Amino acid sequence: MILSHIILGLTLIGFAIWLQWTERLGWPNESFDSEVDARYFERRMRWRRRVNLIFALCGVLILAANLAGPRLYVVAWMLVILGLLAVVVMAGFDAIRTQRYM
C-alpha cells in the first residue's frame, strides 16, 4: 500500500509538471492574432496554473498520507477528493469559457 501511494503521488506531481510545461510552451496551432485571443490565453493560463497547482498539492497530500496516522490519513484523502472535485469544477468553467471564446 505504501508503494501504491508513492506511485500515485509522484504520478500526480509529474502530471502537474507536464501540464504546466506544455501550457507554457504552448499547444500546436495556437496563435495570438488579436487582443481577444491574447486575453483569452492569458486567462486560460492563469486558471490552468491553478489547476496544475491543485494537482501537485493532491500528489503531495497522497505522499503525506503515507506518513500520517489513521486520522491524518483520512483527512489527507478527503482533501485530495475535494481538490480533485475542485479540478473537475474548474475544468467545467474552462470548457464554458472556451465555448464562449470559440
Side-chain angles (χ1 to χ4, degrees):
M1 189 152 149
I2 291 174
L3 184 61
S4 65
H5 283 91
I6 292 171
I7 291 170
L8 184 60
L10 291 177
T11 300
L12 272 177
I13 292 170
F15 185 63
I17 291 170
W18 176 78
L19 282 175
Q20 187 63 29
W21 179 268
T22 306
E23 186 67 30
R24 215 169 262 292
L25 290 178
W27 295 89
N29 304 323
E30 281 186 339
S31 63
F32 299 98
D33 295 336
S34 69
E35 178 67 29
V36 174
D37 293 336
R39 192 174 52 222
Y40 165 73
F41 285 125
E42 187 241 320
R43 283 183 183 166
R44 186 186 76 180
M45 183 174 280
R46 186 175 45 226
W47 272 86
R48 289 186 180 175
R49 188 178 319 129
R50 290 176 187 155
V51 167
N52 297 337
L53 179 64
I54 292 172
F55 269 133
L57 287 175
C58 287
V60 169
L61 281 170
I62 291 170
L63 291 173
N66 270 333
L67 307 172
R71 279 192 180 158
L72 293 177
Y73 180 86
V74 171
V75 169
W77 274 102
M78 293 302 281
L79 289 173
V80 167
I81 292 168
L82 289 175
L84 294 178
L85 181 64
V87 166
V88 169
V89 170
M90 291 172 80
F93 286 132
D94 188 40
I96 291 169
R97 181 175 33 256
T98 302
Q99 184 67 26
R100 283 186 10 202
Y101 166 71
M102 294 295 180

